[in-house]
Amino acid sequence: MTDPVSPPAFGLELGPEVQEVRDWVHGFSRDVIRPVAAEWDEREETPWPVLREAAAIGLYSLDFFATQWFEPSGVAIPVVYEELYWGDPGIGLALTGTTLAAVAVSANGTQEQLLEWVPQMFGTPDDVRLGAFCSSEPDAGSDVGAIRTRASYDAATDEWVLDGAKTWVTNGGIADVHVVVASVAPELGARGQASFVVPPGTAGLSQGQKFSKHGIRASHTAEVVLDGVRVPGRCLLGGKERLDERLSRVREGRVSGGQAAMKTFEASRPTVGAMAVGCARAAFEYARDYSRERTQFGRPIGDNQAVAFTLADMATRIDAARLLVWRASWMARNGKEFSQAEGSMSKLFASETATWVTQNAIRLLGGNGYTRDYPVERWHRDATIFTIFEGASEIQRLIIGRSVTGLPVR
């Protein structure tokens, strides 16, 4: 009798392959992203030239993200995301926003659907494409159970008909492939939802308002309107047989096995934490270097204990946030259950660390930090989103609280 195969041991030293990828992505962020970050923030447009350059070297591609996602330790994706968002969170989201839609297909779809739709979200170096995940609505952000977008089945044509409106959609309306969460059994609330792929060029899907945002302005965010959108039956992620079986279990009072949107968010929370770590690290490094060079009263301001203590707290919080992200990522990659809401812990602490660090970076730079001549002002605006999207901090605390108390959801 052979011993069961154990997952790789969790270690804090990155393997040589992950280190090589980290250094490669860092170089791209330093040489390509940072020099144009302020420009695209001002333009509030998708940085297509940067996406094309990333695609040309294989950074923006399904093969790259898939390879890193399935790296055995689970920390390759957080490492990549940290480096990209160290470069610039807005451009970083433009480069990684498609992956949320890809994760939605992976979490809810079949292998055949994964192979059919995810490649179309990235395209090729000569034809760069985008994906978009559509969950939030004007009256249903954190409360995914309040989703009003409906999907009804037309048995005569084996098609699903989608009607509704989504908001706060990254790449919304400009994406080639949209993944839409809709209610198929409204009486069942969140348990009566499913996810659908809307293929490129499908009639009835249009872009609504494009939002002018406080931060991450190089990433396109807009409403998506669905007006009688008809998609083939094969576009229901997981298939109709699996959906019917799940709905039957719900109606009989048995466990349903999870809800479409939440399965996607659970898988992506540690990566959001990694984004926040990258943003926080960028601000810390800038403030640290500034404190060495800026002199007041004849000495570097870093000599002042108040400044040194602030930098010490920054460094400590960033390292702690990174460790939480790595732990959750390792657990997710190796099939470990988030028994204490470890994914939410990583997202909560890292996102609030980013807002705290960037705010204090501005304070350490004084008046300079408050101007757009210095990047810490932009990073502070960008950091705010990490405490909001894919589950606000209050939602993360609710999830963690329920997990640690063991009390039922009410």
Side-chain angles (χ1 to χ4, degrees), residues 59-71:
L59 177 54
Y60 183 78
S61 72
L62 171 60
D63 287 344
F64 173 74
F65 282 110
T67 299
Q68 304 313 311
W69 194 272
F70 292 107
E71 186 273 332

Side-chain angles (χ1 to χ4, degrees), residues 157-234:
T157 60
D158 186 28
E159 291 179 318
W160 288 89
V161 184
L162 279 63
D163 288 282
K166 297 294 183 177
T167 194
W168 308 115
V169 181
T170 299
N171 299 332
I174 66 171
D176 298 274
V177 179
H178 291 74
V179 179
V180 178
V181 179
S183 178
V184 296
E187 73 280 4
L188 300 180
R191 299 294 190 182
Q193 295 169 4
S195 293
F196 299 83
V197 170
V198 180
T202 301
L205 184 147
S206 61
Q207 178 185 309
Q209 176 188 2
K210 177 188 175 183
F211 295 104
S212 182
K213 305 189 298 296
H214 177 65
I216 55 167
R217 288 150 56 103
S219 173
H220 175 96
T221 309
E223 295 175 330
V224 172
V225 179
L226 303 133
D227 184 10
V229 173
R230 303 183 74 92
V231 298
R234 62 187 175 85

Side-chain angles (χ1 to χ4, degrees), residues 205-368:
L205 184 147
S206 61
Q207 178 185 309
Q209 176 188 2
K210 177 188 175 183
F211 295 104
S212 182
K213 305 189 298 296
H214 177 65
I216 55 167
R217 288 150 56 103
S219 173
H220 175 96
T221 309
E223 295 175 330
V224 172
V225 179
L226 303 133
D227 184 10
V229 173
R230 303 183 74 92
V231 298
R234 62 187 175 85
C235 291
L236 166 62
L237 292 181
K240 194 169 186 304
E241 182 177 345
R242 185 192 298 179
L243 173 65
D244 290 342
E245 181 181 333
R246 176 165 64 85
L247 294 179
S248 176
R249 290 200 303 268
V250 174
R251 292 189 173 101
E252 293 172 5
R254 292 183 285 155
V255 177
S256 74
Q259 187 272 334
M262 295 313 298
K263 289 173 70 176
T264 302
F265 292 139
E266 286 168 7
S268 64
R269 279 183 186 126
T271 63
V272 177
M275 299 174 191
V277 170
C279 180
R281 192 184 109 213
F284 161 72
E285 290 177 358
Y286 199 95
R288 177 200 62 198
D289 295 345
Y290 184 90
S291 73
R292 293 168 174 167
E293 299 164 3
R294 174 70 167 172
T295 59
Q296 290 286 284
F297 305 104
R299 61 176 183 171
I301 63 171
D303 273 349
N304 294 302
Q305 191 177 76
V307 172
F309 278 13
T310 300
L311 290 169
D313 286 343
M314 286 179 172
T316 301
R317 292 192 188 195
I318 290 169
D319 270 10
R322 182 184 296 111
L323 289 172
L324 284 171
V325 167
W326 283 12
R327 179 185 68 168
S329 300
W330 177 83
M331 291 177 68
R333 177 67 186 90
N334 291 286
K336 302 291 186 180
E337 181 185 357
F338 287 163
S339 60
Q340 295 292 303
E342 288 86 352
S344 290
M345 286 182 181
S346 68
K347 199 265 190 188
L348 171 66
F349 189 78
S351 63
E352 299 207 339
T353 291
T355 59
W356 185 87
V357 168
T358 54
Q359 181 182 35
N360 279 277
I362 290 176
R363 294 177 62 194
L364 292 183
L365 268 69
N368 287 333

